[in-house]
Amino acid sequence: MRTHRELQTPDSALGYDIRMGIDVTLRATQLFLSAFDAAPEYAGSAPGRVELLGNHTDYNGGFVLTAAVDIRTGVSLRRVSGGMTRIITELPGHQTAHINLSAGPAQLTAETQWCGYVAGVLDYFSPPGAAWDVAIASDVPDGSGISSSAAVLVATASAVLTALGKSISPMEIAVACRAVENGPWVGAPVGLLDQFSSACGESGMALFLDCKTFDWKRVPLHADQLGILIVNTNIKHALADGGGYASRRKECEAAALQLSGGRTSLLRDISLIEYSDGIESVEQPAQNRARHVWDENGRVQLGTSCLESGDIVGFGAQLNASHASCRLLFENTCSEIDNVQAILEHTDGVYGVKLSGGGWGGSVVAVINPTTVDSIVTKLKSDYGDRLSILATSASAGAQGMAL
Ligand code: GLA
């Protein structure tokens, strides 16, 4: 199977081609040297992810099946004296941000909003009064449904924990990074899917997570039989803007409260009897949102069993059903995503294809027969056009921290 570097769309404005090929940690280190005229002492790197099954189930306490992918964000840093933390990114159009961690997120402006993720993690783990110089390089495009935000959170956490000599489990890193993303530095009401995938990823493995108990397991993804194709529509989405994501979450919580007679706002905690007796009387659109989440939890369990028993066709069917439910019940797709999904669903060699992540743009993920990748990409480009960034990738290792 060809690598993602060979499959990039060369002229994509938001594509993956711009700087890939040089390791992100090395790029972050080079950026640090040129920006701060000193060498960084620690680094962290963390991957993006694909959501294989379990769309909008995580904050409902449900199940997800996910994988870290071979596209990473790198962070290099050094603890400095004085109160000011300096943060620089290689992304064009961003100045070095000067942040006083003790002064909290109120100091963020429209220009420095982007570094809330990094500052939030530094603030979470650092002792009071600490300050850092930080440089960031990333191959994970933002707003693309591959979770650039989790990658930068978890990479920063991995670097700063190494610098502070603290050792905590990957799951504890994920939980802390989610708290930061939900908290005042960022303010996105997301679940645990993304940070978990980025922190706990493993080469060749999908990850099944119970978002209520935090129990999780690895599920082999046989790369010789099953390839992962990520198709970025380059339609950007945002989760922290109080838009569709937050309103879907409220609708799910309202449905759970109604179905349980006020006992719980988690759809996961609704019993089968409560669901079957009550679902038809839940008003729309909350009823459809709840139906999607209920069915999606079943699809994660079924799809995981299919994968475990080697039934790749059955696994793919769960992805197709998941996407149909997103389109019809959860209404978090958009025409570009639906067009790409529909083309791929009817392309030879594709076992299943669905929206990956929050929705309203970003990427679809397809699980494919790896020997057919060239013909799949050719058909997609001929039916849809060239406005896509396409990566053939595989399940990859999770976050790492290191002393330089
Ligand atoms: C985004 C969020 C996740 C999850 C997905 C949808 O990626 O960050 O927590 O809710 O959307 O499944």
Side-chain angles (χ1 to χ4, degrees):
M1 185 174 192
R2 291 200 292 167
T3 69
H4 53 69
R5 289 182 182 83
E6 292 167 296
L7 285 174
Q8 298 140 21
T9 308
D11 56 354
S12 159
L14 297 171
Y16 307 91
D17 50 324
I18 306 162
R19 299 162 306 267
M20 283 177 97
I22 305 174
D23 174 77
V24 283
T25 312
L26 180 62
R27 293 206 321 259
T29 298
Q30 286 167 342
L31 179 64
F32 189 107
L33 281 164
S34 63
F36 303 129
D37 205 19
E41 292 171 358
Y42 300 92
S45 89
R49 61 99 188 90
V50 283
E51 173 199 284
L52 293 169
L53 285 169
N55 187 265
H56 286 257
T57 49
D58 59 355
Y59 56 78
N60 287 297
F63 307 117
V64 296
L65 186 73
T66 176
V69 291
D70 185 22
I71 327 167
R72 300 180 78 89
T73 294
V75 169
S76 63
L77 51 72
R78 188 169 79 119
R79 193 158 169 189
V80 293
S81 53
M84 292 312 271
T85 289
R86 295 183 294 178
I87 307 173
I88 186 163
T89 166
E90 66 178 0
L91 290 179
H94 293 86
Q95 306 288 324
T96 304
H98 296 253
I99 304 285
N100 178 352
L101 296 178
S102 315
Q107 72 197 287
L108 295 180
T109 62
E111 284 74 42
T112 56
Q113 197 94 34
W114 61 271
C115 66
Y117 295 88
V118 177
V121 171
L122 295 173
D123 186 30
Y124 188 95
F125 288 113
S126 301
W132 304 85
D133 281 344
V134 186
I136 303 154
S138 185
D139 286 334
V140 190
D142 69 323
S144 62
I146 311 174
S147 202
S148 59
S149 45
V152 75
L153 288 164
V154 174
T156 307
S158 303
V160 79
L161 284 164
T162 309
L164 295 171
K166 287 187 189 169
S167 173
I168 64 175
S169 71
M171 179 55 99
E172 287 171 313
I173 292 177
V175 169
C177 287
R178 182 201 175 183
V180 170
E181 193 162 356
N182 289 168
W185 282 102
V186 180
V190 296
L192 189 59
L193 165 71
D194 305 344
Q195 308 83 1
F196 161 74
S197 318
S198 187
C200 300
E202 196 168 313
S203 179
M205 296 285 174
L207 312 170
F208 171 92
L209 171 66
D210 179 332
C211 297
K212 186 178 163 198
T213 63
F214 295 175
D215 288 337
W216 64 282
K217 63 179 175 182
R218 301 178 181 89
V219 184
L221 271 176
H222 305 282
D224 51 330
Q225 298 164 42
L226 195 151
I228 297 173
L229 200 67
I230 299 174
V231 181
N232 183 358
T233 58
N234 289 322
I235 306 295
K236 282 217 180 195
H237 74 155
L239 302 182
D241 63 356
Y245 190 94
S247 69
R248 290 300 182 281
R249 188 170 175 152
K250 286 197 186 109
E251 287 159 0
C252 290
E253 287 167 357
L257 282 167
Q258 185 176 337
L259 287 164
S260 68
R263 189 186 80 254
T264 179
S265 58
L266 272 190
L267 281 168
R268 168 69 183 284
D269 284 339
I270 302 301
S271 70
L272 178 56
I273 291 185
E274 284 171 332
Y275 182 79
S276 9
D277 285 356
I279 189 67
E280 276 178 14
S281 57
V282 175
E283 66 281 12
Q284 292 293 10
Q287 181 187 136
N288 281 349
R289 312 305 186 226
R291 285 184 188 278
H292 166 81
V293 171
W294 185 271
D295 295 345
E296 187 74 358
N297 278 325
R299 283 187 284 268
V300 179
Q301 291 174 297
L302 187 54
T304 302
S305 307
C306 288
L307 210 49
E308 285 172 328
S309 66
D311 176 6
I312 292 172
V313 172
F315 174 59
Q318 297 308 309
L319 271 74
N320 293 337
S322 169
H323 188 85
S325 179
C326 288
R327 184 165 51 82
L328 299 170
L329 298 179
F330 214 71
E331 297 180 282
N332 60 334
T333 66
C334 63
S335 59
E336 294 85 352
I337 285 278
D338 287 336
N339 288 344
V340 171
Q341 195 278 340
I343 293 166
L344 286 174
E345 186 174 342
H346 299 106
T347 299
D348 285 346
V350 176
Y351 298 118
V353 50
K354 65 179 273 294
L355 167 71
S356 173
W360 300 283
S363 297
V364 300
V365 53
V367 289
I368 63 168
N369 175 343
T371 64
T372 61
V373 64
D374 289 346
S375 60
I376 291 170
V377 170
T378 304
K379 176 160 192 310
L380 183 57
K381 285 187 172 174
S382 113
D383 289 8
Y384 187 91
D386 269 339
R387 305 176 304 282
L388 301 168
S389 302
I390 304 171
L391 285 94
T393 185
S394 54
S396 87
Q400 291 166 335
M402 70 200 91
L404 294 173

